[in-house]
Amino acid sequence: HVQLVESGGGSVQPGGSLTLSCAASGFKYKSSGCMGWFRQSPGKEREGVAVIDHDGTTPHHADSVKGRFTISKDNANDTLYLQMNSLKPEDTGMYYCAADPGWGPSEMMGADPADVDYWGQGTQVTVS
């Protein structure tokens, strides 16, 4: 039984920072696949923000967040992070942690969310 539990969302002013965490359990595919962060803003489709491979060595970031967000993974503690700096109002949305045993990082970034196997419940980020 896979569980992904996000934390760390909140409200910040533009230019501020937040760090999101995702605690994973039951994800047995630790030698393959990816984990990542997606976000969904009101009236918009869910989009990939950042994805990292199973051993945490190959990160991919969306163009809109490059240079501001950094994804990382602590395999010892089965935790995924998203460090978000220089936040903008357009970064506002529900942020979801996701995991899938079959995708490579670049594939998962562009994947249809319906095809991604596991999701957390989401954590809200508001920048205003």
Side-chain angles (χ1 to χ4, degrees):
H1 176 62
V2 175
Q3 275 196 313
L4 302 174
V5 180
E6 302 98 333
S7 61
S11 295
V12 295
Q13 294 183 342
S17 297
L18 283 173
T19 301
L20 305 184
S21 300
C22 172
S25 61
F27 188 50
K28 64 179 181 179
Y29 300 101
K30 294 186 178 182
S31 62
S32 64
C34 296
M35 294 185 71
W37 294 96
F38 288 67
R39 69 184 177 193
Q40 188 163 19
S41 304
K44 295 186 178 181
E45 294 184 351
R46 195 171 296 189
E47 62 176 354
V49 175
V51 177
I52 197 164
D53 64 332
H54 62 90
D55 61 6
T57 59
T58 308
H60 285 250
H61 298 83
D63 288 343
S64 59
V65 306
K66 280 181 181 176
R68 300 188 299 121
F69 292 11
T70 303
I71 188 171
S72 62
K73 192 167 179 278
D74 181 347
N75 283 336
N77 294 305
D78 290 331
T79 303
L80 183 73
Y81 299 99
L82 186 67
Q83 175 66 44
M84 304 186 295
N85 298 324
S86 302
L87 282 159
K88 304 176 181 180
E90 52 263 43
D91 295 318
T92 294
M94 186 70 77
Y95 282 68
Y96 297 90
C97 178
D100 196 288
W103 296 102
S106 59
E107 295 167 319
M108 190 174 180
M109 278 292 290
D112 184 333
D115 294 331
V116 177
D117 279 0
Y118 304 111
W119 293 94
Q121 81 287 352
T123 185
Q124 178 68 35
V125 172
T126 302
V127 186
S128 64

